[in-house]
Amino acid sequence: MYSQGLTDAKGGDEPAELLAEFQAKIDREEKIEPRDWMPEAYRKTLIRQMSQHAHSEIVGQLPEGNWVTRAPSLKRKMILLAKIQDEAGHGLYIYSATETLGVTRDQLNDELLTGKAKYSSIFNYPTLSWADIGAVGWLVDGAAIMNQVPLCRTSYGPYSRSMIRICKEESFHQRQGYEIMTVLARGSKEQKDMAQRALNRFWWPSLMMFGPSDKDSKHSEQSMKWKIKRFTNDELRQKFIDATVPQAEHLGLTVPDPELKWNEQTGHYDHGEIDWNEFVNVIKGNGPCNKERMQARIKAHEEGAWVREAAQQYHANKKSEAA
C-alpha cells in the first residue's frame, strides 16, 4: 500500500483534516514518503513530472549516441560514452522513485512508447555537428541543472534523494560540454563558426526546456504550494539566462537574441520573446526528430524483449530452486 486512502481519493474528496495535515507537513519542510497519506492529485502530479523526467533522461541519450562513432578522438569517445551511461542511470533512478507511487516500470514505458507520456522537447532536435554535442552539454545540461538543483529539496522524499547524485553528475556533463565549446571557440575560424552555429541552434530550444511561461502554465501554482517545485518556470529561465550569457561572452560567442540586453534596474538580462508556437508544435510530436526518437525507442524495446524474458526466466528458476 503506497499511500493510505488512495482508493477513495478521487476528485478532491479527501477529508479536509487530512488535506490540512498534509499541507502543514509540507509547510514544515518535512518529506512525504511512499507510505504517507497524500492527495491523489499530488500523487498524479508527481507521476506526471517524474515519469517525464525519467523519459527525458532515456530519450536524451539518442542525440548524443549519434556522435559516439564520430567523436574526434578516442578520449572524446570515452567521455561521451561515460556521459550517455550516466544518463541511462539517471533514468533508472527516477523510474525507481516513480514506482514508489504505485505505478510499474512497464506502465511508464508503455506510456512513453504509445505517446501518452511526454519528454523534454529539446531532445527532438538533431545534433548536426560535433559542436552540437558541446552545446548540449553546456546549454541543455546547464538548463537541466538549473531545473534539478531545486528538486534536491522537493517535497517527495524518493524524488529528492534521487536528485542529489544526479545533480552531481550533471555538473560534470555541463563542464564537459563547455570545455568542448571552449576548445572550438579558441580554435580555427571554421571551428569557432561551428561553435557559433551550435549555439544558434540550441539557444532557443534550451530556453523552452523550462516549460511554458508562468501565465500559461497549468501546474506551477499548485506544484509550488506542494513544494514539488521551488521556483516558477520563468524564474528558472531567467536564472539560466543570467548565468549563461556571461559564459557565452567569455567564449567570444554571440547569443542569437537581438533583444538581449542587461537591465541595470532589475539586475537581470532582458530577452526576446520565445516562439511558443514552435514549442507547442514539438510537444505535439511535430518536431524535427520526434518520429525518429520514438522509432528508436520502440526498436530498442522490441529488440530487447529476449533480455527481459531471459531475466524473468532466471528469476523464476531461482525461486523454484529456493522452494
Side-chain angles (χ1 to χ4, degrees):
M1 184 174 181
Y2 289 89
S3 178
Q4 292 178 320
L6 285 182
T7 55
D8 59 3
K10 297 179 180 178
D13 293 336
E14 295 95 342
E17 61 272 17
L18 284 178
L19 290 170
E21 182 182 336
F22 175 80
Q23 187 63 50
K25 186 173 184 178
I26 287 176
D27 292 341
R28 293 193 301 267
E29 298 290 345
E30 296 178 17
K31 297 300 183 191
I32 305 300
E33 298 298 342
R35 294 185 179 276
D36 294 343
W37 184 89
M38 65 186 74
E40 180 69 357
Y42 177 84
R43 187 180 78 93
K44 287 183 176 179
T45 297
L46 280 170
I47 291 173
R48 176 186 57 79
Q49 179 173 327
M50 293 168 67
S51 65
Q52 288 181 5
H53 189 167
H55 298 329
S56 298
E57 298 284 358
I58 297 301
V59 177
Q61 299 172 94
L62 297 174
E64 295 173 319
N66 182 45
W67 278 88
V68 168
T69 60
R70 296 180 288 166
S73 69
L74 178 60
K75 179 181 177 180
R76 294 291 188 190
K77 185 192 297 285
M78 292 170 63
I79 293 171
L80 184 57
L81 282 168
K83 181 175 188 259
I84 292 170
Q85 185 178 35
D86 283 349
E87 306 296 5
H90 298 172
L92 294 179
Y93 298 153
I94 302 169
Y95 279 136
S96 296
T98 311
E99 285 181 303
T100 66
L101 291 161
V103 293
T104 67
R105 192 79 57 93
D106 287 341
Q107 285 177 277
L108 298 173
N109 195 53
D110 286 345
E111 289 182 354
L112 172 64
L113 298 181
T114 58
K116 183 179 178 181
K118 305 299 182 183
Y119 55 89
S120 180
S121 59
I122 191 72
F123 299 120
N124 290 309
Y125 290 86
T127 45
L128 303 178
S129 73
W130 174 250
D132 286 3
I133 299 301
V136 167
W138 172 34
L139 299 176
V140 177
D141 290 321
I145 291 168
M146 203 65 70
N147 257 320
Q148 293 172 12
V149 167
L151 290 175
C152 294
R153 297 186 295 118
T154 192
S155 59
Y156 188 56
Y159 195 20
S160 171
R161 291 186 288 273
S162 71
M163 292 312 306
I164 294 172
R165 176 172 176 176
I166 289 173
C167 286
K168 289 179 180 179
E169 293 179 347
E170 290 288 7
S171 68
F172 281 100
H173 300 169
Q174 195 268 349
R175 293 178 188 182
Q176 176 246 354
Y178 193 71
E179 190 268 343
I180 291 175
M181 297 296 279
T182 300
V183 170
L184 293 173
R186 294 176 179 173
S188 66
K189 180 182 182 302
E190 290 78 9
Q191 288 174 318
K192 186 172 183 178
D193 288 345
M194 184 193 300
Q196 181 64 60
R197 289 193 296 272
L199 173 56
N200 294 347
R201 280 192 288 272
F202 278 91
W203 176 255
W204 292 105
S206 294
L207 297 189
M208 296 176 194
M209 283 180 66
F210 296 95
S213 62
D214 292 346
K215 63 183 176 64
D216 297 321
S217 177
K218 299 177 182 178
H219 307 287
S220 281
E221 184 178 354
Q222 185 61 69
S223 291
M224 293 282 287
K225 182 179 179 182
W226 282 330
K227 298 189 179 181
I228 294 173
K229 294 177 63 172
R230 295 285 179 156
F231 299 95
T232 69
N233 296 347
D234 286 340
E235 286 173 339
L236 289 169
R237 191 169 9 251
Q238 187 66 61
K239 286 166 64 73
F240 173 76
I241 292 170
D242 291 346
T244 308
V245 170
Q247 295 172 358
E249 293 174 347
H250 179 73
L251 292 174
L253 302 178
T254 303
V255 172
D257 179 357
E259 297 180 43
L260 184 73
K261 62 180 180 180
W262 179 253
N263 188 322
E264 291 285 353
Q265 293 183 327
T266 64
H268 299 289
Y269 283 95
D270 294 335
H271 60 88
E273 182 64 27
I274 294 169
D275 184 354
W276 292 116
N277 290 328
E278 177 183 338
F279 174 74
V280 171
N281 199 39
V282 174
I283 290 294
K284 287 183 176 179
N286 301 315
C289 296
N290 289 69
K291 293 180 180 177
E292 179 183 336
R293 299 293 183 243
M294 278 300 91
Q295 288 171 353
R297 288 308 309 151
I298 291 169
K299 182 173 183 287
H301 183 72
E302 292 175 346
E303 293 183 353
W306 70 272
V307 179
R308 296 190 297 276
E309 292 168 3
Q312 290 170 353
Q313 186 60 55
Y314 177 80
H315 180 66
N317 291 344
K318 284 295 183 181
K319 285 182 67 176
S320 177
E321 290 173 6

